[in-house]
Amino acid sequence: METTEKTNNVERIGLRYGVLMTLALVGYFLLMKAFGLAEIVELRAFNLVILASFVLISIDRYKRLKGNHMPYLRGIGVGLLTSVIGVFLFSILLLVYITILDPSFMEAIKQNEPFGIHLTPLLVTVAILIEGIASGFIASFAIMQYYKVSHFVSPAEN
């Protein structure tokens, strides 16, 4: 029963903050598009800040939910699940955008990216997925270095 409760909490937190991450990424993309900055590749770096923020929030939320006690791997799992859900939903929405809503944006990507001539909407989607999931894992791992608890008790603490 306790394992199911932990799993449900992990999944619920990952889903909640993953969807919120998607909304933030879409909002940032639309803001960049509105100001004519969507073709500037370097501004994508802010996506990492958004991703890491939501990973941090989800891990912190899980830790508070568990009374400030959290297994290390469970924390990485919460962060990774949050990023996978957020990045997956964002990549699907971007696929719809570049294939249906604004195919000219795909042409702009082809012109601005190295090897862009070889890109297809599916490759762009897969690249976003791989980049986002890898970034999510790295962010989760880095954040958990702060949240982990040492199990070593020095003789002076006894």
Side-chain angles (χ1 to χ4, degrees):
M1 176 88 176
E2 185 178 329
T3 304
T4 305
E5 180 184 326
K6 286 181 184 178
T7 305
N8 288 341
N9 288 331
V10 168
E11 292 166 355
R12 197 174 7 222
I13 290 170
L15 181 62
R16 175 184 298 146
Y17 291 104
V19 169
L20 290 173
M21 181 195 315
T22 300
L23 295 175
L25 290 169
V26 168
Y28 178 60
F29 174 75
L30 293 176
L31 190 65
M32 286 177 36
K33 192 75 173 147
F35 286 109
L37 302 172
E39 287 83 18
I40 300 175
V41 178
E42 291 79 13
L43 292 176
R44 288 186 327 166
F46 191 69
N47 287 345
L48 180 60
V49 173
I50 293 171
L51 183 139
S53 298
F54 280 94
V55 167
L56 173 65
I57 292 167
S58 67
I59 290 173
D60 185 66
R61 173 73 178 133
Y62 184 75
K63 183 177 180 185
R64 283 187 286 124
L65 187 66
K66 293 299 172 187
N68 289 331
H69 175 73
M70 174 175 48
Y72 181 73
L73 291 177
R74 180 120 9 228
I76 289 178
V78 169
L80 188 57
L81 183 61
T82 300
S83 62
V84 165
I85 290 171
V87 169
F88 177 77
L89 293 175
F90 178 70
S91 65
I92 296 301
L93 291 172
L94 193 61
L95 178 65
V96 169
Y97 183 81
I98 63 178
T99 55
I100 298 171
L101 300 176
D102 188 8
S104 65
F105 187 64
M106 183 64 203
E107 292 306 315
I109 292 172
K110 285 183 176 184
Q111 292 173 1
N112 291 330
E113 289 289 325
F115 305 106
I117 195 166
H118 303 291
L119 290 177
T120 65
L122 185 60
L123 283 175
V124 169
T125 303
V126 170
I128 290 170
L129 274 170
I130 292 170
E131 180 182 313
I133 291 170
S135 297
F137 177 76
I138 292 168
S140 299
F141 179 75
I143 290 166
M144 280 308 296
Q145 298 311 304
Y146 174 74
Y147 279 103
K148 71 181 180 181
V149 177
S150 175
H151 296 288
F152 175 75
V153 178
S154 68
E157 293 177 12
N158 285 333

